[in-house]
Amino acid sequence: MVTVVLEGRGDLTEWREAARSLLLAHTTPQTVDWRCRNESAGDLFEPAVEALEGPIAGAGAAPTFAVPKVFLSLAQAVICHRDPARFQLLYRVLFRLQAERTLLEVLSDADVAQLHAMEKSVRRDCHKMTAFVRFKEIDTERGHARRRFLAWFEPDHHIVARTAPFFQRRFTDMDWIIATPKGTAAWDGGALTVSAEPAENPMLTDATDALWRTYFSNIFNPARLKVKMMMTEMPKKYWKNLPEAALIPGLIAGAEASVVAMAERAASEAPLFHQRLQAAAQAEPEIARPPAGTLEELREEARHCTRCALHCSATQTVFGEGPQDASIMIVGEQPGDQEDLAGRPFVGPAGAVFNAVSQEAGLERQSTYVTNAVKHFKYEPRGKRRIHQKPNIGEVQHCKWWLTRELALIKPKLVVAMGSTALMALTDSRQRLADLRGQMLQLGGGQSLLVTVHPAYLLRIQDEARRHEEMARFRSDMARAADFGRKTPVDISREQRTVRSG
Ligand code: URA
């Protein structure tokens, strides 16, 4: 039998050294007696080095073993468990892993299940420590450069070293000591020190105790009270060190009455609130509204659009512009960075391409109605830049509400869909733009539809020859639109009849 005596304060290194030597000597788990100096009557046991001498001598130098990463991470937590049987369990699993490489995947295995149960218990204890440590300010009158705090906590397991880095990150700008019966952690702005020495409860109270109680009684919602859940979240064993816990029994006992009182108060306050709103509304000066049923009225309405979340980050609604009697309506995707700032469609780089090409093709912007499928700029902030993001189907569907009304008011002869978003918004179809490009289609409302590319696409083409080619196609699409605009309704219906019969 080999006896191994460890300090056992949640430090994996000492266990690992001993386990490695034992494993090299092929020492079976049944022949190892793991003991913990701090958790037993220390003096009764031999020190670790002596105990390890016999069978482990001659085990060889620089021993290494391959163990699955998941074992190491489990072991790091399990070693903190207060159960003295943890060393034996870890060694047994390590030993078995040499022959059963996939052992940890067998969750029904008793050893593996035990490892997980211990890991969970340690994890929960760590979590509770991060939630329930209550610092009290100390040495307030001595004029230290940094404020100093002391906290007392009683963990179930040896988790002080494991949890201390959390407090270092969270409370980096103050000096603190967390004292526990299972060791102490201290931070002074430069070094984090952890000692395994048990500390004694300093029994401190300060003004923050009252603050905790005020906070707790304010966040306590009697209408949402679930006592069982509350006890799981805030187990009774922690109460003695939580200043606010003294309130819990009273708050639970009075919860029902508080809910009734709240309900009564709500009933009498509602009319007051309502009256205030009414008074505010009446005090508002009458704003001259554009005549009902006009494009201007629709534009004014759209200014306040909150139909989807895009309005939250955009500067403003960018509504369509152009005469209400335009015979051609151009639909793009959504405003870009510059359009969002200017509040007008197609005034940025894509707009410059659109203006130049359409003018060349004989399509006057002033006599055309230009709009977008989506009326708010969708982007992702990157540094100081706002990077364009394609609107999703939901956003296009929400915004279609405006597009439909624009179509109904303008009643264009021809609608030009520039790009796939406009095509989807106008036709509800997910057909590929390439399959419909250059075709003259018909919308449900009877208007003709010409499908072409978006000018921003032309700007993205790297290859010069291809860009020229695509530009020429775009120009010819725009020329076709301009021609269409000059046609009379009779020409159009004649053409449509020809298309249908042909
Ligand atoms: N792209 C669009 O689709 N619309 C604009 O208004 C600007 C760029």
Side-chain angles (χ1 to χ4, degrees), residues 332-336 339 344-346 350 372 454:
E333 182 190 76
Q334 62 160 347
E339 287 80 10
R344 293 183 52 211
F346 285 101
N372 282 301
H454 193 283

Side-chain angles (χ1 to χ4, degrees), residues 182-202:
K182 291 185 167 59
T184 296
W187 167 250
D188 64 3
L192 179 67
T193 333
V194 181
S195 133
E197 280 310 305
E200 283 198 8
N201 188 346

Side-chain angles (χ1 to χ4, degrees), residues 107-156:
L107 298 179
S108 56
D109 180 276
D111 284 343
V112 176
Q114 179 67 12
L115 267 192
H116 280 286
M118 284 181 157
E119 185 271 342
K120 186 173 171 197
S121 173
V122 168
R123 188 158 28 94
R124 187 174 153 82
D125 200 28
C126 290
H127 176 249
K128 295 298 175 209
M129 180 164 170
T130 59
F132 294 150
V133 157
R134 298 284 180 262
F135 286 107
K136 322 271 168 171
E137 187 154 15
I138 51 171
D139 294 342
T140 39
E141 69 288 349
R142 281 208 225 140
H144 294 280
R146 285 157 58 91
R147 293 171 70 189
R148 294 150 64 92
F149 293 82
L150 177 60
W152 171 252
F153 184 72
E154 295 178 36
D156 285 341

Side-chain angles (χ1 to χ4, degrees), residues 239-305:
W239 286 17
K240 60 178 182 290
N241 295 314
L242 294 174
E244 68 273 31
L247 300 177
I248 296 175
L251 287 171
I252 293 178
E256 224 176 291
S258 304
V259 172
V260 173
M262 270 164 64
E264 278 166 6
R265 266 204 311 276
S268 62
E269 273 173 12
L272 277 181
F273 176 62
H274 182 70
Q275 279 162 21
R276 271 204 302 275
L277 276 183
Q278 293 272 309
Q282 275 157 19
E284 258 182 31
E286 195 51 28
I287 300 165
R289 285 185 167 276
T294 61
L295 203 51
E296 278 320 299
E297 193 196 32
L298 196 62
R299 179 195 303 280
E300 176 59 25
E301 241 184 85
R303 246 172 22 93
H304 311 284
C305 178

Side-chain angles (χ1 to χ4, degrees), residues 399-475:
C399 221
K400 194 174 165 159
W401 199 87
W402 298 111
L403 190 59
T404 310
R405 272 149 194 79
E406 283 175 298
L407 272 169
L409 282 171
I410 311 275
K411 299 188 189 63
K413 282 190 286 189
L414 175 70
V415 181
V416 180
M418 294 199 304
S420 54
T421 305
L423 175 65
M424 181 171 68
L426 288 160
T427 62
D428 279 330
S429 96
R430 304 266 225 115
Q431 267 181 288
R432 275 164 30 97
L433 183 124
D435 295 339
L436 303 177
R437 195 226 173 130
Q439 290 188 34
M440 195 62 82
L441 309 167
Q442 226 182 316
L443 289 175
Q447 310 92 334
S448 295
L449 172 72
L450 178 66
V451 181
T452 187
V453 292
H454 193 283
Y457 157 75
L458 302 170
L459 288 172
R460 287 195 299 269
I461 302 176
Q462 300 284 323
D463 182 80
E464 198 155 331
R466 240 199 88 218
R467 193 170 59 243
H468 270 105
E469 194 185 314
E470 284 294 332
M471 254 330 172
R473 281 185 78 192
F474 184 57
R475 196 177 302 118

